Amino acid sequence: MKRIVIFASGSGTNAENIIKYFNHSAIATVVQVLTNNQHAKVLERSKNLNINTLVFSKKDFVLDDIVLNVLIKNADFIVLAGFLWRVPAKIVEAFPNKIINIHPALLPKYGGKGMYGKHVHRAVVENEEKETGITIHFVNEHYDEGAIIFQEKVSIDSTDTPETVASKIHELEYEHFPQIIEKVILAETKILDE
């Protein structure tokens, strides 16, 4: 059974969806949720689902090896579900092609530092895009530049607002993110078995 550790910074709806999905999986389970925000709603959601949590500081994450050591001890795969900090190179190097992120746009469009959540949806609407979507990708040491694993598109109507676009994106995230994580883990497991 592969162990997943989730990083989240906010409300945790994606994290909750992933935890529930893997509660019924024979190949992986979520063992811990880590957050850089002691007020994040993801802490309450995780507690309600009996998932161990850890709140950490920038120092724990970047300067010290506290978070790295927790990951080495507890994680086979890492999932970023609404986590806003750039992952330090030392963690990326310790988990090559085992850190998976979801971005609420069709990368390489609308990626990079500061492009998350409502900022992405506002930019998509302001630029009168005809479509947007989600990108699930591996994490490297740069924002939103890791190898793309999966993309799914959704059309945008002239009447859409950043809020309605966000709603469409959330539906795609809930539908696809857990399944793609599972496929990545299955593929990795198969490679190791060969």
Side-chain angles (χ1 to χ4, degrees), residues 2 76-77 98 185-194:
K2 297 296 181 182
D76 297 306
F77 287 85
K98 292 190 177 167
I185 294 171
L186 278 169
E188 172 72 18
T189 306
K190 191 174 178 189
I191 290 166
L192 292 174
D193 288 345
E194 288 176 354

Side-chain angles (χ1 to χ4, degrees), residues 55-68:
V55 179
F56 61 89
S57 68
K58 193 90 167 186
K59 183 175 179 284
D60 298 338
F61 193 50
V62 178
L63 299 177
D64 299 335
D65 288 339
I66 292 169
V67 173
L68 175 62

Side-chain angles (χ1 to χ4, degrees), residues 59-173:
K59 183 175 179 284
D60 298 338
F61 193 50
V62 178
L63 299 177
D64 299 335
D65 288 339
I66 292 169
V67 173
L68 175 62
N69 290 335
V70 166
L71 293 171
I72 288 169
K73 182 180 170 193
N74 296 336
D76 297 306
F77 287 85
I78 299 164
V79 172
L80 310 186
F83 181 70
L84 304 181
W85 288 355
R86 188 166 55 86
V87 178
K90 63 185 175 184
I91 294 177
V92 174
E93 288 163 12
F95 292 89
N97 291 330
K98 292 190 177 167
I99 308 175
I100 305 164
N101 183 43
I102 191 163
H103 186 75
L106 297 170
L107 291 174
K109 283 185 166 185
Y110 305 106
K113 186 173 172 65
M115 290 305 285
Y116 60 89
K118 64 185 178 189
H119 304 291
V120 173
H121 308 316
R122 189 180 306 123
V124 163
V125 170
E126 286 173 358
N127 290 327
E128 298 179 3
E129 296 283 359
K130 300 294 183 228
E131 63 182 14
T132 188
I134 58 168
T135 302
I136 299 170
H137 64 95
F138 288 117
V139 172
N140 64 17
E141 58 274 15
H142 304 288
Y143 280 112
D144 303 323
E145 291 183 14
I148 292 172
I149 302 165
F150 175 85
Q151 290 185 310
E152 183 70 26
K153 297 176 182 175
V154 65
S155 60
I156 301 176
D157 305 318
S158 59
T159 55
D160 272 322
T161 64
E163 292 74 26
T164 59
V165 171
S167 179
K168 290 180 178 183
I169 292 300
H170 285 310
E171 284 184 31
L172 291 180
E173 290 173 341

